[in-house]
Amino acid sequence: MRTKPILANLTPYVPGKTIEEVKQSYGLERIVKLASNENPFGFSDYVKSGLQQAVEGLEIYPDGYARELRTTLSKTLSVNEKQLIFGNGSDEVVQIICRTFLEPGSNTVMATPTFPQYRHNALIEGAEVREVPLDQGFHNLSEMLKQIDEHTRVVWICNPNNPTGTMINQQAFESFMEQCPDNVLVVMDEAYVEYVSSSDFPDTLSALSSYNNLLITRTFSKAYGLAALRIGYGIASESIISSLEPSREPFNTSSLAQKAALLALEDQSFIEETYKSTVETKQELQEFCENNGLTYYPSETNFMLVHLPISGDEMTEYLLRNGFIVRSGEALGIPNSIRLTIGKQEHMEEIMDAMGEKLAESRQV
């Protein structure tokens, strides 16, 4: 049977080893996963208690319009209900965007390295992908603008960027939007917005009224700790959302996911505590790096990309043997680095000790 030719050249997403697999492979009793930027504090107890009631009615299809969540979120964000679209994680919103706007003969512009699903889904739709290398970890917006032509449909800006954690500020955002043709959709991926501490982070929600070609994606997978339930959303003008809806599957978010997201929005104290603990522990990791002569990208997320004097694979393997799962920079397109999630303080102290031991060992060789 014949498939799209492009699929022969694409690699499917390969998840990292599970905690149980790593335990068995390395003979360890405890593993701390700091590779996927999940919330180490789990999710809100308020969500946990509220979901007990939501288990009833699993034989009924979910609300395809997500009415209750839609109403609450629209009030929280101060947008119209029809300005929202929900997805099976923000990953699916990315897929819906590509399915709607991209086709053979069109092109799309993005940074590299950045969130890989932009490229993956664009190629499946037959579009040309134009990638602009990061400039010292940051989006090179001026070069991205130069890549736009009459065939460009979508520009992707991951802000803060994954895997570097860096952000573009308000002035850079406004300048880019003013120069970008208004017939080109600009997607601002704000998956980590709840972790941002900078006062100069772009106010994209307010900008929706000024730019009809702007779409914002966000998720409940990161700070809210609902990664297993897969629910995210997009925010844009009513006209953009209405153009996306035909590409969305009818029942793409489950009843449990919708209810969990609704409950999570009601417990902002959990988000505040998550943010506070993450920032404090991230500062300790930054101090460790500085004390050990390591450089890192300034991160506005719950992870850091740390540059090393050895390969990322070598450090990743050493940390695995010591019970920690992190992401090697080699796999992310940034050699001699690792990306590690900011975990609980006690776990971060342990992983810094392990990193220190490996660095000392490498200096003696």
Side-chain angles (χ1 to χ4, degrees):
M1 298 176 66
R2 183 176 179 179
T3 64
K4 291 181 177 180
I6 186 63
L7 294 178
N9 299 317
L10 291 179
T11 303
Y13 176 75
V14 180
K17 291 183 178 180
T18 66
I19 289 176
E20 290 305 315
E21 287 175 328
V22 174
K23 283 182 179 180
Q24 292 177 10
S25 298
Y26 292 87
L28 298 169
E29 295 184 0
R30 190 204 69 167
I31 292 292
V32 178
K33 185 184 177 188
L34 300 173
S36 301
N37 307 333
E38 297 147 332
N39 190 334
F41 308 106
F43 60 98
S44 162
D45 289 337
Y46 182 73
V47 173
K48 185 180 295 185
S49 60
L51 274 184
Q52 299 301 318
Q53 301 173 359
V55 175
E56 299 296 330
L58 293 184
E59 74 281 5
I60 300 172
Y61 282 107
D63 175 7
Y65 192 64
R67 287 171 178 80
E68 193 175 6
L69 175 58
R70 182 181 297 272
T71 299
T72 299
L73 187 58
S74 67
K75 292 178 181 177
T76 301
L77 302 176
S78 298
V79 298
N80 188 288
E81 291 182 14
K82 293 183 179 180
Q83 289 183 261
L84 295 169
I85 186 169
F86 294 92
N88 183 31
S90 57
D91 285 24
E92 191 194 20
V93 179
V94 170
Q95 183 186 54
I96 291 170
I97 293 167
C98 290
R99 182 182 295 173
T100 302
F101 291 102
L102 300 179
E103 60 186 343
S106 68
N107 70 65
T108 182
V109 179
M110 63 195 69
T112 185
T114 191
F115 186 54
Q117 290 305 105
Y118 313 146
R119 181 181 188 276
H120 185 86
N121 285 293
L123 290 173
I124 289 176
E125 299 303 327
E128 176 195 354
V129 174
R130 298 182 175 182
E131 297 178 295
V132 177
L134 297 175
D135 182 2
Q136 298 184 22
F138 290 82
H139 280 74
N140 190 333
L141 297 180
S142 60
E143 288 301 316
M144 290 176 70
L145 283 168
K146 293 177 182 178
Q147 292 297 317
I148 297 173
D149 62 19
E150 66 273 18
H151 301 296
T152 304
R153 300 280 185 83
V154 183
V155 176
W156 307 87
I157 299 177
C158 189
N159 198 39
N161 187 48
N162 180 7
T164 58
T166 54
M167 66 163 235
I168 67 168
N169 61 24
Q170 180 72 33
Q171 181 180 0
F173 165 70
E174 291 178 354
S175 176
F176 184 87
M177 293 303 300
E178 288 296 327
Q179 296 178 74
C180 183
D182 58 13
N183 65 330
V184 174
L185 180 66
V186 178
V187 180
M188 297 292 293
D189 183 345
E190 298 181 348
Y192 298 93
V193 65
E194 290 85 7
Y195 290 106
V196 174
S197 58
S198 173
S199 60
D200 203 19
F201 190 74
D203 184 1
T204 50
L205 287 174
S206 295
L208 287 170
S209 60
S210 300
Y211 306 106
N212 290 324
N213 60 329
L214 174 64
L215 189 152
I216 306 160
T217 63
R218 293 182 178 180
T219 184
F220 288 95
S221 295
K222 302 304 180 182
Y224 286 97
L226 302 180
L229 291 178
R230 311 306 302 126
I231 186 160
Y233 58 97
I235 322 153
S237 66
E238 290 185 34
S239 62
I240 289 178
I241 297 300
S242 64
S243 68
L244 293 171
E245 282 291 352
S247 298
R248 181 180 63 82
E249 294 296 326
F251 305 109
N252 62 328
T253 58
S254 72
S255 298
L256 285 175
Q258 292 178 30
K259 183 62 175 180
L262 181 64
L263 292 167
L265 287 171
E266 295 174 6
D267 188 8
Q268 288 301 304
S269 61
F270 174 78
I271 297 298
E272 292 168 4
E273 186 56 38
T274 288
Y275 167 81
K276 179 182 177 183
S277 298
T278 301
V279 170
E280 290 176 352
T281 308
K282 183 165 58 177
Q283 290 174 345
E284 294 177 4
L285 178 58
Q286 291 170 346
E287 291 175 5
F288 165 83
C289 290
E290 291 161 6
N291 292 337
N292 285 271
L294 303 178
T295 59
Y296 56 88
Y297 289 129
S299 173
E300 290 289 340
T301 65
N302 68 329
F303 63 84
M304 274 178 53
L305 198 292
V306 179
H307 302 283
L308 304 167
I310 59 177
S311 78
D313 287 348
E314 186 177 348
M315 179 63 82
T316 298
E317 177 65 20
Y318 183 84
L319 293 176
L320 262 180
R321 295 185 180 282
N322 283 272
F324 295 95
I325 306 175
V326 301
R327 285 297 301 275
S328 170
E330 265 67 23
L332 299 170
I334 307 177
N336 292 76
S337 70
I338 57 170
R339 189 194 68 187
L340 64 161
T341 307
I342 307 301
K344 294 180 179 179
Q345 185 178 33
E346 59 268 29
H347 294 154
M348 295 305 293
E349 290 176 354
E350 292 175 17
I351 196 172
M352 285 187 286
D353 286 342
M355 289 175 65
E357 292 170 0
K358 180 59 179 175
L359 291 170
E361 176 188 300
S362 67
R363 294 186 185 109
Q364 294 173 1
V365 176

